[in-house]
Amino acid sequence: MKIKIESSDRIGISQEILAIFASKSWNLKSIEVEAHFTFVHIENVSVSLTEVDQSLRCIDGYIQCAQVRQMPAEQRENHLHALLNRIPDPIIDIDEQGTILATNSAANKLVAVSKHPLLQQNIVKFLDVPLTQLLPLSEISVSVNFLNQPFIADVNPVLSKQRITGAVISLRSMNKVGRQLSLMQSSTQDALETIVGRSKKITLVLAQVRRFAELDLPVLICGDTGTGKELIARALHQLSSRKKAPFLTINCATLPEHLLESELFGYEGGAFTGASKGGKPGLFELAQGGTVFLDEIAEMSPYLQAKLLRFLQDFKYRKVGGTKEFTADVKIISASHQDFNELIEQQKFREDLYYRLNVLRLELPSLKDRSEDIVLLVEHFIQNAARQFKLEPPKVSHDAMITLTSFHWPGNIRQLENVIYRLIALNEGDTILDEQVKTVLFDRQEKLVLPQVNQEEIKDWASAQALFESQLLAELYPLYPTTRKLAKRLAVSHNKIAMKLRQYGITEQGQ
């Protein structure tokens, strides 16, 4: 029988209660003391609550007693187990020797299939990392295999007087980590609904997106910078059968070769200087069952092109510094603004990899080729900007709209969006005027001014020509910030532009 005894909170009252129990030869299985309450578990089944109450009335400060179903420690433990069992991630509690002390239901489900008991077993039987790595001085996360399944283990040390006495290990599946990363990389908004336009070209693209999304094949998206390649890639994923799995993106132009390799394929612990001891999963592992979007894939190094080609043959790979072979179930979508035929001809991109990626192809039109959509886009961006700035959406004057629709938009939709946001931020009235549009548009646009001729500087025809070329390139390069775009603008070869930029020391950062 379990009893809660209520009394005054005076010194020695608990000892008096225990003395009476001893005098009655009532066997106490456990006792817990709190302010004003003493909880006892009497093992004698023949003792009644009335008998206990009458025996305690002689104690000064005794108030009453009542039978309870659980002792406080039992109640706390049951609530803790209920809480842990509600957590979907497997949780394992170990001591300093690695012995498993407690688990939640999610951990028990993992081993139910293998029929391996967990309690009182050593954790190293189930994990592929040494015990020393599971007993850190501070919280860490490591990549592990638990019963040959990949997880991220979040390890929280249990400390007593600055000494490690164990650890609590929470296992997160790679797919769950991938979904969390996917949510961080993008919004949950329907990507297809955010694609604005009614022109024939964009309507054709959207029809292709719906059709290609049903096919579990690689897709190559081509188009100029700012045409919305990542948005199209996200729409392909959201419309596919993989939509509930992660959608992970990486820009191949922003990382050096060794970092890009480890981001894609992951690495084993200690694979290189500065590598995490627990290793790291790559995007192909985190996106299991989902989609990986490789933006600006034309910037990938020849070494990584070869490794990606091997991966695409059977979707098997090894982590950096590892020997174990993994298999990834992912759909590959890649994109680039560059001309692949030219890159292949220059031997900068593997032709066999291009054919692997170019199974399905989407060509995104430039904004100048779908000018009939500009009005819709302007209205869309005005509404978004006004909502963000908490302003009433202004109107656009007729002349201002003509200027917007007739502009060539070298930066495409991204440039148009930035211009509209700037106009909304600077506008003080209820209408955007043509003068405001021109001020924003032509602030850094093509205002080509011939150099002022100083006869003393002009020694001959060559020096005059060099002065003109340097001024021309300095004016245009900020507007066409890649050598290929600038070459196309001036109708010359890419190599000539690159040579001239080097000759005059013109760089994008220097503008």
Side-chain angles (χ1 to χ4, degrees):
M1 181 169 56
K2 298 169 185 176
I3 302 172
K4 179 173 73 172
I5 303 169
E6 185 179 357
S7 65
S8 62
D9 188 19
R10 68 174 176 81
I11 297 175
I13 195 169
S14 296
Q15 285 84 351
E16 294 178 23
I17 293 173
L18 293 178
I20 289 180
F21 279 34
S23 67
K24 297 288 186 179
S25 299
W26 293 337
N27 187 28
L28 291 181
K29 192 171 183 180
S30 63
I31 179 171
E32 296 180 40
V33 179
E34 298 177 359
H36 300 285
F37 294 100
T38 302
F39 294 85
V40 293
H41 183 183
I42 302 176
E43 201 168 30
N44 307 63
V45 293
S46 60
V47 180
S48 68
L49 182 64
T50 302
E51 187 178 357
V52 173
D53 178 59
Q54 290 176 350
S55 301
L56 295 176
R57 287 184 181 278
C58 63
I59 297 176
D60 180 27
Y62 168 74
I63 300 174
Q64 62 180 354
C65 66
Q67 190 170 352
V68 293
R69 297 181 61 184
Q70 295 177 327
M71 299 288 280
E74 288 180 302
Q75 190 176 36
R76 287 192 295 269
E77 185 176 356
N78 289 338
H79 277 276
L80 179 59
H81 277 293
L83 175 63
L84 291 175
N85 289 333
R86 291 292 297 270
I87 298 175
D89 294 329
I91 296 177
I92 302 172
D93 181 26
I94 63 172
D95 64 15
E96 57 188 318
Q97 280 78 41
T99 303
I100 298 174
L101 304 177
T103 58
N104 69 343
S105 59
N108 296 331
K109 287 178 182 177
L110 278 180
V111 298
V113 178
S114 63
K115 298 180 181 179
H116 286 294
L118 280 177
L119 291 181
Q120 299 307 312
Q121 298 292 317
N122 198 287
I123 191 71
V124 296
K125 289 179 59 176
F126 307 98
L127 294 180
D128 60 347
V129 296
L131 179 61
T132 53
Q133 200 166 330
L134 299 176
L135 297 170
L137 289 172
S138 59
E139 181 181 350
I140 64 167
S141 295
V142 295
S143 177
V144 300
N145 281 305
F146 184 84
L147 292 172
N148 297 319
Q149 295 183 50
F151 290 92
I152 294 292
D154 296 324
V155 185
N156 292 273
V158 177
L159 302 175
S160 177
K161 298 180 180 179
Q162 302 303 313
R163 178 176 168 271
I164 298 174
T165 59
V168 177
I169 303 169
S170 176
L171 301 175
R172 290 182 292 148
S173 69
M174 290 299 180
N175 194 260
K176 183 173 183 178
V177 175
R179 289 198 302 272
Q180 292 171 341
L181 185 59
S182 178
L183 288 173
M184 292 173 63
Q185 286 191 350
S186 61
S187 66
T188 56
Q189 190 175 9
D190 189 337
L192 204 63
E193 289 185 357
T194 62
I195 301 173
V196 179
R198 298 173 186 166
S199 62
K200 289 184 178 179
K201 290 191 175 183
I202 199 64
T203 302
L204 174 61
V205 168
L206 296 180
Q208 290 177 321
V209 167
R210 292 185 178 92
R211 188 162 61 251
F212 289 177
E214 299 174 357
L215 306 174
D216 205 22
L217 296 169
V219 181
L220 178 62
I221 305 173
C222 296
D224 290 341
T225 300
T227 50
K229 294 186 286 293
E230 184 173 343
L231 196 61
I232 292 293
R234 188 173 292 111
L236 284 166
H237 171 76
Q238 291 177 350
L239 292 171
S240 73
S241 59
R242 298 174 177 267
K243 60 185 177 182
K244 293 184 179 179
F247 172 78
L248 301 181
T249 72
I250 192 167
N251 191 315
C252 301
T254 59
L255 296 174
E257 179 183 277
H258 69 284
L259 285 181
L260 181 58
E261 180 182 17
S262 63
E263 286 294 319
L264 289 175
F265 299 97
Y267 62 79
E268 297 290 353
F272 50 85
T273 303
S276 170
K277 290 183 180 180
K280 180 182 177 182
L283 291 191
F284 293 140
E285 186 174 4
L286 293 173
Q288 185 72 11
T291 304
V292 174
F293 175 51
L294 304 174
D295 198 8
E296 297 300 344
I297 195 170
E299 302 289 343
M300 187 175 282
S301 70
Y303 164 72
L304 280 183
Q305 289 180 36
K307 188 164 183 177
L308 179 61
L309 177 63
R310 289 196 299 272
F311 170 73
L312 291 174
Q313 289 171 354
D314 54 12
F315 289 90
K316 296 183 182 297
Y317 67 96
R318 290 186 177 92
K319 295 183 179 182
V320 176
T323 57
K324 184 177 180 180
E325 196 169 68
F326 296 87
T327 301
D329 173 23
V330 294
K331 178 174 180 174
I332 299 295
I333 301 176
S334 52
S336 179
H337 70 278
Q338 300 194 40
D339 185 340
F340 280 98
N341 292 326
E342 183 179 342
L343 294 176
I344 291 170
E345 185 178 343
Q346 296 173 356
Q347 297 185 343
K348 293 182 178 179
F349 199 85
R350 294 181 64 111
E351 188 172 11
D352 46 4
L353 176 59
Y354 172 69
Y355 291 136
R356 284 278 184 182
L357 298 171
N358 192 33
V359 179
L360 302 173
R361 184 186 182 98
L362 284 169
E363 291 279 355
L364 302 191
S366 301
L367 192 53
K368 64 182 180 181
D369 296 327
R370 44 178 293 217
S371 57
E372 57 265 51
D373 290 331
I374 291 178
V375 174
L376 291 174
L377 288 164
V378 167
E379 293 173 351
H380 175 72
F381 292 140
I382 284 176
Q383 293 295 327
N384 287 350
R387 191 182 308 115
Q388 183 172 327
F389 298 146
K390 298 180 180 179
L391 300 171
E392 283 295 320
K395 298 178 181 179
V396 181
S397 71
H398 178 70
D399 292 341
M401 189 62 80
I402 290 176
T403 300
L404 289 169
T405 53
S406 60
F407 189 67
H408 61 287
W409 299 110
N412 291 290
I413 298 173
R414 186 181 296 126
Q415 183 186 11
L416 173 60
E417 182 179 17
N418 292 340
V419 166
I420 296 302
Y421 269 69
R422 187 175 176 188
L423 285 169
I424 298 297
L426 297 175
N427 185 59
E428 296 180 351
D430 57 359
T431 303
I432 296 175
L433 303 175
D434 187 39
E435 293 77 9
Q436 296 171 291
V437 173
K438 289 179 177 177
T439 298
V440 172
L441 274 181
F442 301 108
D443 181 30
R444 291 186 69 241
Q445 300 301 328
E446 295 184 32
K447 299 181 291 184
L448 299 184
V449 180
L450 292 177
Q452 296 294 321
V453 177
N454 186 334
Q455 294 186 5
E456 295 181 357
E457 292 182 13
I458 305 301
K459 298 179 180 179
D460 50 28
W461 179 263
S463 63
Q465 184 177 357
L467 180 62
F468 174 77
E469 286 179 349
S470 63
Q471 174 101 18
L472 179 69
L473 294 173
E475 291 281 348
L476 286 181
Y477 193 43
L479 309 178
Y480 304 90
T482 68
T483 53
R484 287 182 175 80
K485 284 185 176 181
L486 188 51
K488 184 178 180 181
R489 170 67 178 82
L490 296 176
V492 294
S493 71
H494 159 70
N495 290 333
K496 183 170 184 177
I497 291 295
M499 179 189 69
K500 290 293 184 181
L501 290 174
R502 286 194 300 271
Q503 178 181 341
Y504 299 119
I506 299 173
T507 63
E508 185 176 6
Q509 292 78 14
Q511 300 308 315

